[in-house]
Amino acid sequence: MLQTIHDKAKGWIAYAIVGIITVPFALFGINQYFEGGGKLAAAVVNGEEITVQAVQNALVEMKQQFGGQLPPGMDEGALKTAALDSVINQTLMQQKIRDGGYRASNQEVADAIAVIEVFQKDGKFDQQTYENFLKMQRRDPAGFEAQVRTDLSQQQLRGSILDTAFLPKAEMERYESLRNQQRELETFTLKMADFQAQAQVTDQQVADYYAQNKAAFMTEEKVQVAYLELKRDDLAAKVTVDETALQQWFDSNADHYAKPEERTVSHILVSVDDPAKDAAAKQRIDALYADIQSGKRTFEDVAKTDSDDKNTAEKGGSLGVVVTADWGPEFAKAVTALEAGKTSEPVKTEAGYEIIRVTAIKPAVEQEFAAVKAAVETDYRKEQADKAFTDAADKMQTLAYENDGDLAPVATALGLSVQQSDWMTQSQGQGVAADEKVRNAAFAEDVLRSGKNSEALELADGHAVVLRVINHEAAAQKPLDAVQADIRSQLLAQAARQLTAQKGEALLAKLNTTQAWSALTEVGVGSETAVEKFGAVNRTDSKLSPEILQKAFAMSAPAEGKATWASVALGTGDYVVISLKAVKAGEAKAEAASHAIYGQSLGMRELSAMLQGLRESAEIVTHPENL
């Protein structure tokens, strides 16, 4: 077990690490990609076998992203291929990591785990919470830590590519010129609503559409579930409390109830926003300290005029009463080292360089048991309930697995009542089924098709559920009578859209010939007064829809004395004809932010190219027949 976790990882780096490990942590089975678990091989990559189980895990995870269903437009076979490709890519990356010697240190792994919120208690990493959570998920700490190391090592490889990508200045300036380009536009819009009266749909067309698209007119599959619900609050109410137990709890945790030491503190701050300016900040704080020590200026005067903490400057640098536990460790260390009435030399803290003065100290006060008895009882109940909930949830998981065809043994062992949900679909439910985790579990293959109990689901902190399907209603075909009004409305909209586009295409052809908006009258769709003249617009101009802007900036620049004409059909069904009158080159200056954006974009392309290169040079044999 990593022993240094609980005191590590601070600041923005910690949050970055959280982002690195969040996805693989959420996908609990991901470590099986590299740990085996299946007898058949789905593929062999450079001599390394990929198990069928690993690909099946990836397949389940992909479906979970779409509510347990197949992604739109993708069948089961295509999804299996995508899952296999994903695991092959992961394996190639891991092989590259091993060959390149990338490896996260124990300290980096500890720091990464320490900042995961579910492992924290009172804002700090808690070893017991960490172990209990992994136990609930049936995960081995050593295996989880190995997975975190794998993910961090992969980030090292990614970083070696992403962080070294760059574009030459001339290339960036060319991009900037294109990005800042302006175009003079005029548009005319043919409204679909103007053509709806001309649209016609017959009963036969409705019937034909229904026959050809029956899959689109199905009721949703529905289930009802029986479930057991375990709540920590219910367990807390059952905790037996006696005076002796509370006294022992208080004696063991007396420091928690003591009123902490308070110090009245003032400070002068020279902040350090850029590490490159550290030396200049140190020089500045030393000069201010010298002025105070020589009597040339008072502490209060320097704080008012020179401190970078403008919130306290007007008060002579006063921070008021400070409880050191609420501040950063470096600042707290400097404050507690001072006696009342003393001023520190310049010290480096989390905020920068500071001169700190302590004007008064109020010692910590230990509380008597009687004064905090109510708080002690609340905390005692919470701790006992936490333990009871962890034990009960683990027992729920074990018994539900061992008695996977019945919830009664689980209910009896835990003293719970079997409850029943209303009907739910994959996308919607009431009560406990309002939680997506419950619906996903109810429609999982083992639960829905095989009649097994689900695993214990932690819906929220201190709230767990296990369920099984008791009633199932398959999806059914809706009769034509029930959907013909919707079909007719849809077909009428399609017909109106088609009529609008046909008239728009005729107008565009005429405009390309006449080079004048007078063609509107000739085609019979309007007059020049309806033409909108936008003048020069940029790529992000809010006056125009994204579809129009995208089309306008893809058009060829017009020849001298002419316009370039194009059209675009909008999602609303309207049809827009665009006249490009002129193109103005944009400013070519590349700002620092643009450098970063271009570098990141190029880095992603290089990372993709590296992965493609690994695939092309690797010996890969797939066995899709085993999936």
Side-chain angles (χ1 to χ4, degrees):
M1 188 73 64
L2 300 171
Q3 298 297 322
T4 57
I5 290 174
H6 59 287
D7 289 324
K8 309 301 177 186
K10 300 289 190 292
W12 68 268
I13 295 176
Y15 293 100
I17 295 173
V18 173
I20 293 170
I21 69 175
T22 295
V23 172
F25 170 65
L27 305 178
F28 293 122
I30 200 169
N31 62 312
Q32 295 179 22
Y33 286 171
F34 310 111
E35 294 177 4
K39 294 181 179 179
L40 295 176
V44 180
V45 180
N46 293 325
E48 182 177 344
E49 285 193 355
I50 292 176
T51 66
V52 170
Q53 184 63 52
V55 179
Q56 288 175 344
N57 290 341
L59 188 64
V60 169
E61 290 158 8
M62 287 180 172
K63 285 184 177 180
Q64 286 176 345
Q65 296 178 31
F66 293 91
Q69 303 298 314
L70 289 173
M74 182 176 286
D75 60 24
E76 187 78 21
L79 191 62
K80 285 182 179 180
T81 300
L84 178 57
D85 284 342
S86 173
V87 182
I88 289 173
N89 290 344
Q90 289 283 345
T91 304
L92 288 168
M93 289 286 283
Q94 289 306 312
Q95 291 175 351
K96 179 68 173 179
I97 287 169
R98 290 196 296 268
D99 294 344
Y102 298 94
R103 178 178 170 82
S105 67
N106 287 345
Q107 187 66 63
E108 289 172 321
V109 174
D111 290 348
I113 295 174
V115 298
I116 299 177
E117 188 174 352
V118 293
F119 297 153
Q120 295 182 354
K121 187 175 182 180
D122 298 328
K124 297 180 180 179
F125 176 82
D126 181 73
Q127 186 72 25
Q128 191 62 49
T129 301
Y130 170 62
E131 294 176 359
N132 288 343
F133 190 91
L134 292 186
K135 184 178 180 183
M136 277 280 294
Q137 301 299 333
R138 292 184 172 275
R139 301 210 69 190
D140 172 53
F144 175 68
E145 289 158 12
Q147 181 58 51
V148 173
R149 188 188 307 279
T150 296
D151 298 325
L152 292 176
S153 300
Q154 183 170 326
Q155 288 302 311
Q156 292 177 352
L157 173 60
R158 289 169 56 86
S160 69
I161 297 172
L162 296 176
D163 297 343
T164 57
F166 71 95
L167 278 176
K169 181 180 179 182
E171 193 73 9
M172 282 190 287
E173 289 178 346
R174 178 173 174 271
Y175 278 125
E176 282 296 293
S177 178
L178 290 172
R179 189 170 73 89
N180 296 325
Q181 186 186 86
Q182 292 185 320
R183 296 191 164 207
E184 185 180 345
L185 303 177
E186 295 176 358
T187 68
F188 175 79
T189 303
L190 290 88
K191 300 289 187 180
M192 187 180 78
D194 295 339
F195 295 85
Q196 285 178 334
Q198 303 173 34
Q200 295 182 353
V201 174
T202 66
D203 291 342
Q204 186 60 50
Q205 286 176 306
V206 171
D208 289 345
Y209 186 88
Y210 173 79
Q212 295 164 9
N213 298 275
K214 282 191 173 183
F217 304 106
M218 302 286 291
T219 62
E220 285 193 82
E221 187 176 23
K222 297 191 298 183
V223 298
Q224 280 184 303
V225 301
Y227 65 95
L228 299 176
E229 196 169 21
L230 182 66
K231 293 184 177 181
R232 183 171 53 205
D233 290 346
D234 294 340
L235 297 176
K238 297 177 182 179
V239 173
T240 302
V241 177
D242 59 58
E243 197 77 10
T244 301
L246 292 181
Q247 183 66 57
Q248 289 175 346
W249 165 265
F250 174 77
D251 292 341
S252 300
N253 299 274
D255 291 346
H256 177 73
Y257 300 100
K259 290 183 177 179
E261 179 185 82
E262 297 179 349
R263 293 179 173 236
T264 305
V265 178
S266 299
H267 80 144
I268 298 166
L269 171 66
V270 174
S271 60
V272 182
D273 297 327
D274 183 350
K277 299 179 181 179
D278 187 278
K282 181 65 167 66
Q283 185 177 7
R284 181 181 160 202
I285 198 75
D286 286 342
L288 295 175
Y289 181 71
D291 285 350
I292 295 170
Q293 288 298 100
S294 67
K296 183 177 179 180
R297 302 172 66 189
T298 66
F299 183 98
E300 290 74 16
D301 177 55
V302 172
K304 289 179 180 179
T305 58
D306 294 277
S307 177
D308 288 339
D309 185 353
K310 301 307 178 185
N311 292 325
T312 64
E314 294 181 359
K315 298 179 288 186
S318 175
L319 289 165
V321 175
V322 167
V323 176
T324 54
D326 297 337
W327 294 74
E330 296 302 324
F331 179 84
K333 180 180 177 181
V335 170
T336 54
L338 292 173
E339 298 176 1
K342 298 296 184 180
T343 302
S344 75
E345 295 181 355
V347 293
K348 184 70 177 291
T349 69
E350 294 78 9
Y353 286 99
E354 298 187 67
I355 302 171
I356 300 169
R357 170 178 290 178
V358 174
T359 56
I361 300 175
K362 186 177 180 180
V365 178
E366 291 189 3
Q367 295 277 54
E368 294 295 330
F369 172 68
V372 293
K373 183 178 178 181
V376 170
E377 181 174 342
T378 298
D379 293 341
Y380 176 78
R381 285 184 180 275
K382 183 178 184 304
E383 183 190 65
Q384 297 304 308
D386 284 343
K387 291 179 179 178
F389 178 79
T390 299
D391 292 342
D394 184 58
K395 193 172 184 179
M396 173 188 276
Q397 172 73 10
T398 301
L399 291 174
Y401 177 78
E402 293 175 348
N403 303 274
D404 64 359
D406 192 1
L407 288 178
V410 189
T412 301
L414 297 177
L416 300 174
S417 298
V418 178
Q419 303 179 66
Q420 181 174 320
S421 75
D422 291 330
W423 286 99
M424 73 179 80
T425 66
Q426 177 74 66
S427 60
Q428 192 172 16
Q430 304 292 326
V432 71
D435 193 298
E436 184 180 13
K437 292 181 182 177
V438 170
R439 300 195 304 274
N440 287 342
F443 284 88
E445 189 73 18
D446 282 352
V447 178
L448 180 61
R449 310 299 176 191
S450 303
K452 295 182 179 181
N453 295 334
S454 74
E455 64 179 14
L457 310 171
E458 187 168 9
L459 305 187
D461 185 30
H463 184 194
V465 166
V466 65
L467 59 88
R468 63 180 293 97
V469 171
I470 55 173
N471 290 309
H472 175 218
E473 188 176 291
Q477 187 71 54
K478 295 179 182 178
L480 175 58
D481 289 346
V483 297
Q484 63 180 347
D486 291 336
I487 295 175
R488 186 177 299 277
S489 177
Q490 184 177 344
L491 293 180
L492 284 170
Q494 290 178 2
R497 183 188 295 266
Q498 186 175 5
L499 289 170
T500 307
Q502 288 173 351
K503 185 63 76 169
E505 289 165 3
L507 173 61
L508 180 62
K510 192 71 172 177
L511 288 167
N512 276 315
T513 301
T514 64
Q515 287 286 312
W517 286 114
S518 58
L520 292 169
T521 304
E522 297 177 42
V523 176
V525 293
S527 65
E528 293 185 50
T529 57
V531 174
E532 295 184 273
K533 299 182 179 181
F534 294 97
V537 301
N538 57 39
R539 294 178 186 270
T540 58
D541 201 303
S542 60
K543 296 190 295 290
L544 291 160
S545 70
E547 301 103 310
I548 296 174
L549 283 173
Q550 183 177 6
K551 186 67 177 182
F553 278 88
M555 295 167 65
S556 300
E560 184 69 29
K562 291 188 175 182
T564 300
W565 304 86
S567 62
V568 59
L570 303 183
T572 60
D574 293 345
Y575 191 93
V576 180
V577 177
I578 306 169
S579 174
L580 174 59
K581 313 293 286 187
V583 175
K584 179 183 178 183
E587 185 180 5
K589 183 179 179 181
E591 302 292 341
S594 298
H595 283 251
I597 293 171
Y598 294 140
Q600 184 180 37
S601 177
L602 180 62
M604 291 303 296
R605 292 200 298 270
E606 290 183 353
L607 186 63
S608 178
M610 181 205 73
L611 186 56
Q612 183 61 33
L614 290 177
R615 291 196 69 123
E616 292 174 355
S617 62
E619 293 183 7
I620 302 175
V621 179
T622 62
H623 299 287
E625 68 277 5
N626 291 337
L627 295 177

